[in-house]
Amino acid sequence: MDSAFGLVGDGFAILAADASAGRSILVFKHDVDKIMELDSHKLLGGSGTPADTANFTEYIQKNLKLYQLNNDLNLTTKGAANFTRGELAKALRKGPYQTNLLLAGYDEGCGPSLYFIDYMASLAKVNFGAQGYAANFILSVFDREWTPGLDVAGALEIIKKCIHELNTRFLISQPNFVIKIVDSSGTRVHEL
Amino acid sequence: MGDMNFSLTTFNKTGKLLQIEYALNRVQQGKMSLGIKATNGVVIATDRKVSSVLVDDAEYVKMQNITPSTGFVYSGMGPDFRVLTRNARKAAQKYFLTYREVQPLAEVVRESALVMQEYTQSGGVRPFGVSLLAAGYDKESGPQLFQIDPSGAAFGWKATAIGKNYVNAKNFLERRYNEEMELDDAIHIALLTLRESYEGEMTEFNIEVGIVGEDGIFRILTPAEVRDYLDEAN
C-alpha cells in the first residue's frame, strides 16, 4: 500500500512517501515517516512489507554509519546503492526482504542522483521513480512533466500533481505525505 | 591434537618483539625504495638492479597496481611482496563487487596493514620480510603516500625511503622536500635521492619509477620517459 516516489532536479533530489500505516481495512496512523536519513546527504524511501522495510533500511543505515566510522569517509550514493542492492541480493535466495526502495543522494563530484532498487535486488539509476501501486499512476505524470534541470519549485509542482493524481484515482486514501529534499547542504523536510 | 598453534612472535623481557625487529633488519638489507608526495601526484621509485647480466629481466617488475589508482612497491623479500600484492588486489576487487567503486588508498593500506599485523600474532607464521610503500590518488583525499612496516604499522608520509641507506636518503629528502612541489619536481628529486645511494651507474633500465597524477591512474614510467628525467638530472 505504500507509495514512494521521487525525482532528480538541478542540484537536488526529492523523495516523497505516504504517511499512512495500516493493515487490512484498518489504518493505525497517518504520520509515519517512511523516508530514512542514511547519512547527512542520503535519503532512503522504503515501501513494502512494513517489518522488512523498517528492519532492512535500519540495517543499511547502521552499516553505512559503521563504514563511516571505520574509514573516516562517507560512501558515495552509488556506493551505498550498490551495497544496498548487494544485501538484497544476498538475502534473495535465503530469506528475501520484501522491500522496494528509492535511494536519493547528493555527492560533491556528481551532484544529485536517484536509484531504484526493488525487492529482487535490481538496481537502476533513474531521473525519477516510484514504488508500490502508486507507480501505476505516478510514472505517467513523471513521463509527461519531468524535464532535466528542474528547480525546487518546479519539482514540488510535479510532486503536488502526483499527490493529486493519487488522491483522485488511487483506491486507498492517503491523506498525508512526507516530502524530503537532499542537496549540497544536506537533507531537509519540506512541508507542503 | 592439531588445534594448538602458538605465535612464534613473542615479547622478550625488555618488551621487544624480536621477530619484527629481525624482519625490519631484513627490510634494511633490501634494495632501496622511496616515495615523494607532490601537490598534484605521487612518485615512487626503486632500485631494480639485477644480480647478473645473465638475468632475463624482461618480466621483472617490482611495482604493482592494486587498483587503477594505487600502486605498491617494496623493500625486502620479493616473494613476501607477491603474497601481499595478491591479497590487496583480491580485497580491492571484493570492495569493488560490493560498492562498484574503486577502493580508496587509505582502505587498501588498512587491509594490508591488518594482514601484516596478523602475521605477528598468529600461530606458526613469521612476519612479512617487506616494508611497503603505497602511492595513490583519490578524488576525496588527493595524492597520498603510505608506508607499511612488517609490524603492520602504517604511516602517511610526505616523502620517505626504505631499504638500504634509507637514513641517508631520508636526510637528503628532508633537505630537498618542499610542500609546493609538483609531480615533475618530485620525480626529479626522487631520482637524485635514488642516485645518492646507488651503487654503480644508475640507468633507466636498472631503476623503476611509478607515478600517479590528477588523472588518478597509477602507471610505471617507460624507460624512455625515465631517460628524459635522468638527462635533466645530469
Side-chain angles (χ1 to χ4, degrees), chain B:
Chain B
M1 270 248 306
D3 310 349
M4 294 291 171
N5 217 4
F6 298 111
S7 175
L8 303 170
T9 309
T10 48
F11 288 111
N12 73 357
K13 254 195 283 221
T14 67
K16 283 206 253 192
L17 289 166
L18 286 173
Q19 275 303 298
I20 299 180
E21 304 273 322
Y22 298 158
L24 283 165
N25 288 345
R26 178 61 187 88
V27 170
Q28 274 164 36
Q29 284 170 30
K31 294 203 269 286
M32 175 180 286
S33 298
L34 56 89
I36 306 179
K37 182 175 80 163
T39 55
N40 59 345
V42 187
V43 56
I44 48 178
T46 186
D47 170 353
R48 204 184 70 126
K49 200 177 330 114
V50 289
S51 55
S52 147
V53 295
L54 291 176
V55 174
D56 183 359
D57 63 357
E59 297 284 314
Y60 177 39
V61 183
K62 280 180 79 174
M63 294 194 180
Q64 300 288 332
N65 276 87
I66 306 301
T67 72
S69 44
T70 55
F72 276 10
V73 77
Y74 72 100
S75 282
M77 295 172 66
D80 282 10
F81 176 66
R82 256 201 329 265
V83 171
L84 287 168
T85 318
R86 247 171 125 226
N87 188 80
R89 282 172 173 162
K90 190 172 178 189
Q93 286 309 306
K94 190 155 179 267
Y95 183 98
F96 188 81
L97 263 180
T98 310
Y99 300 108
R100 281 257 173 271
E101 287 188 327
V102 174
Q103 191 177 27
L105 176 60
E107 294 178 46
V108 174
V109 167
R110 223 185 316 242
E111 295 273 354
S112 293
L114 184 68
V115 169
M116 290 171 86
Q117 191 283 339
E118 276 170 4
Y119 276 65
T120 68
Q121 242 186 333
S122 302
V125 295
R126 60 162 177 78
F128 287 94
V130 291
S131 277
L132 298 175
L133 287 182
Y137 195 103
D138 293 335
K139 262 198 313 263
E140 295 87 18
S141 328
Q144 285 174 300
L145 174 66
F146 288 95
Q147 174 180 341
I148 318 172
D149 278 346
S151 59
F155 316 89
W157 289 95
K158 299 176 190 173
T160 187
I162 52 176
K164 234 181 280 212
N165 288 323
Y166 79 98
V167 180
N168 290 337
K170 283 178 91 157
N171 288 333
F172 189 90
L173 284 171
E174 241 175 85
R175 286 199 300 274
R176 297 297 202 110
Y177 182 81
N178 81 76
E179 308 258 341
E180 283 85 39
M181 253 191 325
E182 294 208 335
L183 192 52
D184 271 339
D185 307 316
I187 299 172
H188 184 71
I189 302 290
L191 291 172
L192 289 178
T193 315
L194 204 54
R195 195 161 57 189
E196 275 289 298
S197 323
Y198 203 89
E199 285 162 40
E201 200 205 332
M202 194 171 88
T203 74
E204 68 270 27
F205 298 110
N206 53 28
I207 61 170
E208 217 168 285
V209 182
I211 58 166
V212 57
E214 282 166 329
D215 58 358
I217 309 281
F218 177 83
R219 67 180 187 86
I220 303 174
L221 296 181
T222 65
E225 288 171 306
V226 177
R227 181 76 254 155
D228 285 337
Y229 283 106
L230 278 175
D231 288 338
E232 259 183 66
N234 283 336

Side-chain angles (χ1 to χ4, degrees), chain A residues 11-169:
Chain A
F12 69 95
I14 280 193
L15 272 189
D18 79 289
S20 304
R23 193 155 143 204
S24 176
I25 58 171
L26 178 66
V27 177
F28 302 139
K29 57 195 312 227
H30 286 302
D31 57 359
V32 184
D33 183 0
K34 299 178 189 174
I35 304 177
M36 181 164 278
E37 274 118 46
L38 289 185
D39 68 23
S40 59
H41 288 75
K42 291 185 193 52
L43 295 170
L44 186 58
S47 98
T49 311
D52 278 354
T53 314
N55 194 12
F56 184 73
T57 52
E58 255 178 46
Y59 173 70
I60 296 299
Q61 185 194 51
K62 297 318 175 202
N63 267 285
L64 288 187
K65 183 72 185 168
L66 180 64
Y67 182 97
Q68 188 204 353
L69 286 172
N70 268 339
N71 301 306
D72 208 15
L73 247 187
N74 262 340
L75 212 46
T76 60
T77 309
K78 181 179 174 196
N82 276 286
F83 171 69
T84 305
R85 187 215 85 84
E87 292 300 310
L88 285 169
K90 265 191 258 183
L92 183 62
R93 304 283 180 193
K94 296 191 183 131
Y97 292 101
Q98 281 165 346
T99 311
N100 300 301
L101 305 163
L102 283 170
L103 199 160
Y106 185 93
D107 302 296
E108 270 291 314
C110 55
S113 48
L114 181 64
Y115 288 88
F116 171 101
I117 309 170
D118 84 358
Y119 76 102
M120 280 191 281
S122 68
L123 173 70
K125 184 173 187 295
V126 292
N127 292 318
F128 55 82
Q131 297 280 17
Y133 286 116
N136 292 289
F137 306 96
I138 289 174
L139 285 176
S140 333
V141 178
F142 280 153
D143 274 333
R144 191 174 56 229
E145 305 285 342
W146 187 89
T147 58
L150 287 161
D151 62 5
V152 179
L156 286 168
E157 274 309 304
I158 300 179
I159 298 285
K160 277 192 213 142
K161 285 193 175 139
C162 292
I163 295 175
H164 181 260
E165 190 71 24
L166 288 176
N167 287 336
T168 313
R169 293 295 169 202

